[in-house]
Amino acid sequence: MTGPEPLRLTDILTTSSAVANYLGESNVTAGHMLSAIAILRGEVTMESLGRPVSPLVPRARDGGGADPRVRELAQRWFARLGGDVGAALDDVQLASLVEELHGIAPGT
């Protein structure tokens, strides 16, 4: 029997964006990334994060995108992985990424 497939940074970033959108938030945060990792690991579901916010509900927009610390982290990790959109993180790399995210996520 094989273990779970390694997570790709691209999947983590894409799922983080989906989490932020689901929650009606315009910027992706470290918390969204931690939730995305938990979802991709099968530890939680999107629905367990709370009630979705309809895209028809007006939202405060500040340009959207990502928290600057998350943007810097994503760019640094992308470079660390050789700029390969298909690169998967091994267990040590994933643990390091999670540790960094906890360092910038408020309340974790």
Side-chain angles (χ1 to χ4, degrees):
M1 182 180 320
T2 62
E5 282 193 39
L7 300 183
R8 296 182 318 145
L9 181 62
T10 301
D11 293 334
I12 294 169
L13 297 174
T14 302
T15 305
S16 299
S17 179
V19 168
N21 187 56
Y22 179 85
L23 297 173
E25 298 173 17
S26 59
N27 285 316
V28 175
T29 65
H32 297 134
M33 288 187 70
L34 290 166
S35 293
I37 291 168
I39 289 167
L40 292 167
R41 286 177 161 172
E43 298 168 351
V44 298
T45 63
M46 186 78 79
E47 294 77 18
S48 69
L49 300 178
R51 190 176 172 131
V53 176
S54 169
L56 300 176
V57 173
R59 302 175 190 193
R61 293 287 180 195
D62 56 8
D67 176 284
R69 296 168 299 173
V70 168
R71 184 177 299 114
E72 185 277 327
L73 180 140
Q75 290 171 348
R76 187 168 29 83
W77 272 90
F78 183 67
R80 182 176 176 179
L81 296 170
D84 179 2
V85 296
L89 287 80
D90 62 29
D91 291 340
V92 173
Q93 290 170 321
L94 184 60
S96 178
L97 175 62
V98 168
E99 184 177 329
E100 283 191 58
L101 289 167
H102 279 293
I104 63 173
T108 61

